[in-house]
């Protein structure tokens, strides 16, 4: 059995209640009414004391919000004729009471005006599904929340109207005195960021003066490799040649250079000797 959705708001036309809007909060097409025995004690009702398979009436249930009232209406499914109704009002006892042995059955306090006198009675109310019973309770709870929010909104509106009525304008002859501290001339306004940076620098300078930091120069880079030709140009003729055990080619070239230098020295000695002989002969 599918549950019907809440119907759109309905406007009651005619009579003194023509301006009141009825809002259907919940509607279920099938519910059951039981004639229950009187309560024997102060305890809660129990559904197992009823004959739940023999109901007295079957029809449709509506939960309707009408102003600040919430009306639980039991109507005929085909004709819409009213069978019974209960009222949920702020500050009055709740018309729905749950039983202690089931979540699908309730005790409903119905009332009716008969001959100018308000009469009430207690009947049993049951649903086929637990979800229907839960939605029925949720609809009643939503109406109570609506009344609480409405009361809060009215109190806020009254408070606003009371406070907004105060006149804060200046009366004739009233003056306002403002004391503003002007900054000294020539002194700029420093931002907090730069002030923090200057403070940090001053702290670092103070710490450096108390504990001097030793600076150590890094070692010089290693010299690059020298080519044989470069070494030959730099090496003086009078210094002994450097021996390199790893490279044999450098040693041979240095030997050739030394041999050529020896030959040039012997030639110079011969020239000097000849020049002396030439002087002696002259």
């Amino acid at each position: 059995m599918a549950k019907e959705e809440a119907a759109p708001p309905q406007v009651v036309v005619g009579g003194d209640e023509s301006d009141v809007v009825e809002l259907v909060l919940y509607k279920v097409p099938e519910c059951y009414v039981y004639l229950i025995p009187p309560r024997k004690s102060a305890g809660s009702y129990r559904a197992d004391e009823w004959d739940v398979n023999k109901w007295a009436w079957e029809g449709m249930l509506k939960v309707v919000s009408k102003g600040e009232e919430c009306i639980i209406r039991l109507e005929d499914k085909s004709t819409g004729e009213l069978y019974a109704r209960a009222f949920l009002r702020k500050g009055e006892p709740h018309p729905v009471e749950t039983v202690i042995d089931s979540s699908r059955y309730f005790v409903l306090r119905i009332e009716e005006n008969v001959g100018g006198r308000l009469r009430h009675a207690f009947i049993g109310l049951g649903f086929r599904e637990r979800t229907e019973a839960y939605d029925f309770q949720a609809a009643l709870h939503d109406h109570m929340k609506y009344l609480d929010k409405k009361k809060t909104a009215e109190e806020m509106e009254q408070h606003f109207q009371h406070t907004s009525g105060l006149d804060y304008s200046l009366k004739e002859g009233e003056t306002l005195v403002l004391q503003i501290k002007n900054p000294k001339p020539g002194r700029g306004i420093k931002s907090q960021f730069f002030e923090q940076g200057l403070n940090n620098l001053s702290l670092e300078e103070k710490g450096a003066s108390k504990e001097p930091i030793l600076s150590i120069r890094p070692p010089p880079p290693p010299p690059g490799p020298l080519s044989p030709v470069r070494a030959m140009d730099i090496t003086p003729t009078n210094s002994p040649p450097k021996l390199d055990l790893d490279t044999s080619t450098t040693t041979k070239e240095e030997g050739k250079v030394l041999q050529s230098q020896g030959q040039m020295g012997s030639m110079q000695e011969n020239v000097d000797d000849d020049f002396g002989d030439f002087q002696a002969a002259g």
Side-chain angles (χ1 to χ4, degrees), residues 122-134:
F122 294 92
I123 60 175
L125 178 67
F127 297 94
R128 186 176 293 275
E129 302 293 338
R130 288 185 175 86
T131 55
E132 296 174 350
Y134 174 79

Side-chain angles (χ1 to χ4, degrees), residues 24-153:
V24 179
L25 303 178
Y26 178 66
K27 179 180 178 182
V28 60
E30 188 176 2
C31 67
Y32 307 94
V33 172
Y34 301 91
L35 300 178
I36 60 177
R39 189 186 307 204
K40 298 178 181 180
S41 63
S44 300
Y45 289 97
R46 298 180 61 91
D48 57 2
E49 297 177 354
W50 315 340
D51 190 357
V52 295
N53 295 322
K54 293 182 180 180
W55 50 84
W57 181 85
E58 176 184 356
M60 178 174 56
L61 180 141
K62 288 182 180 180
V63 178
V64 181
S65 175
K66 186 177 180 181
E68 294 188 357
E69 284 186 344
C70 184
I71 307 172
I72 303 170
R73 299 172 59 93
L74 302 176
E75 300 177 355
D76 187 85
K77 291 190 292 185
S78 58
T79 62
E81 182 182 359
L82 180 65
Y83 175 75
R85 59 182 178 177
F87 295 88
L88 175 61
R89 301 184 182 94
K90 187 73 172 178
E92 295 185 5
H94 204 287
V96 179
E97 183 179 350
T98 59
V99 299
I100 62 174
D101 59 343
S102 177
S103 60
R104 296 187 295 115
Y105 296 93
F106 306 88
V107 175
L108 186 64
R109 182 181 183 272
I110 60 175
E111 61 182 49
E112 189 65 35
N113 192 350
V114 179
R117 297 180 60 184
L118 185 64
R119 297 180 178 271
H120 67 272
F122 294 92
I123 60 175
L125 178 67
F127 297 94
R128 186 176 293 275
E129 302 293 338
R130 288 185 175 86
T131 55
E132 296 174 350
Y134 174 79
D135 294 339
F136 169 65
Q137 290 180 298
L140 300 178
H141 181 67
D142 290 343
H143 177 75
M144 298 305 295
K145 287 177 60 178
Y146 160 73
L147 294 180
D148 293 339
K149 292 181 179 180
K150 182 180 179 182
K151 182 180 178 181
T152 304

Side-chain angles (χ1 to χ4, degrees), residues 126-194:
F127 297 94
R128 186 176 293 275
E129 302 293 338
R130 288 185 175 86
T131 55
E132 296 174 350
Y134 174 79
D135 294 339
F136 169 65
Q137 290 180 298
L140 300 178
H141 181 67
D142 290 343
H143 177 75
M144 298 305 295
K145 287 177 60 178
Y146 160 73
L147 294 180
D148 293 339
K149 292 181 179 180
K150 182 180 179 182
K151 182 180 178 181
T152 304
E154 291 176 352
E155 292 177 352
M156 293 177 63
E157 183 180 2
Q158 291 178 0
H159 177 72
F160 175 76
Q161 291 177 355
H162 177 71
T163 55
S164 62
L166 300 177
D167 186 10
Y168 295 100
S169 61
L170 294 176
K171 304 299 186 293
E172 184 177 358
E174 292 183 348
T175 57
L176 292 178
V177 179
L178 301 178
Q179 295 181 359
I180 302 175
K181 295 182 179 180
N182 296 326
K184 295 182 180 180
R187 183 177 179 182
I189 300 176
K190 297 181 180 179
S191 64
Q192 186 178 3
F193 174 79
F194 288 103

